[in-house]
Amino acid sequence: MTYNYDRTGASGPALTDVNLFIPAGKMTALVGPSGAGKSTLVDLLPRLREIDAGEILLDSEPHLSFRKSTLRAGIAFAPQEAQVFNVSAREHISYGKVDATDEQIKEAARLARADGFLSELPAGYDTLLGENGDRLSGGQRQRLDLARALVSKAPILILDEPTSNLDAESEFEFRKALDAIRAKGNITIILIGHRFSTIFNADQIAVLEKGTVTEL
């Protein structure tokens, strides 16, 4: 597939003839320098951008055959920096599934290794987190947001450099959460990352350079 930021193609493609198979139920890591096309590539999956040539297949079906709402409901996303408002932990997690039950919220938190520190807050899951989630550390905010992504039980989970701003201890906790998610074996993880410690145990690693997959 090929994608141009400039719809006329005058500035050249951002992605060129990308051919990548992402196995279901496995973790695929996307690595490469800034500007290589990693984020652009994952933006194409939920149709935040539209490809200019080629096609994307999901279970052998063209992704254009799915309604955008259906497609996006099947993809959960956790960004590099979690955006946490001054709401309760329960409310933040339920952003991922507005009708989530208390047990579903806690199940997602346990899987994200967030249940321990959330349960110890003054009012537990009902504790207000403060502006920008300042009641929590950076690593805790990241795992809280991972719980928000997991509660929907979407079959595809996209993680955009989730450990880039974490210290070694917080990164370790996040990797343990990732191991627990992978152990369930029913979710496809696409991880954009730079740190080798985060991606080294991925099932496959795709290297992007200048909009092309150069190594797999």
Side-chain angles (χ1 to χ4, degrees), residues 119-195:
S119 297
E120 293 175 355
L121 292 173
Y125 282 71
D126 294 312
T127 303
L128 293 180
L129 300 175
E131 293 299 329
N132 299 315
D134 59 12
R135 275 186 175 270
L136 306 177
S137 69
Q140 289 173 338
R141 286 194 296 272
Q142 204 70 11
R143 280 178 279 149
L144 170 72
D145 204 46
L146 180 59
R148 187 267 312 156
L150 292 173
V151 74
S152 68
K153 294 190 175 181
I156 298 174
L157 172 65
I158 297 175
L159 303 172
D160 189 357
E161 300 193 40
T163 63
S164 62
N165 296 319
L166 303 184
D167 58 31
E169 182 178 353
S170 296
E171 182 185 6
F172 173 77
E173 287 296 330
F174 192 90
R175 289 205 324 265
K176 294 290 286 184
L178 202 55
D179 289 343
I181 296 166
R182 295 179 68 197
K184 293 180 73 69
N186 59 355
I187 188 167
T188 302
I189 301 172
I190 302 172
L191 170 68
I192 298 174
H194 280 112
R195 289 185 177 181

Side-chain angles (χ1 to χ4, degrees), residues 41 55 91 137:
L41 178 57
E55 63 180 354
E91 288 175 287
S137 69

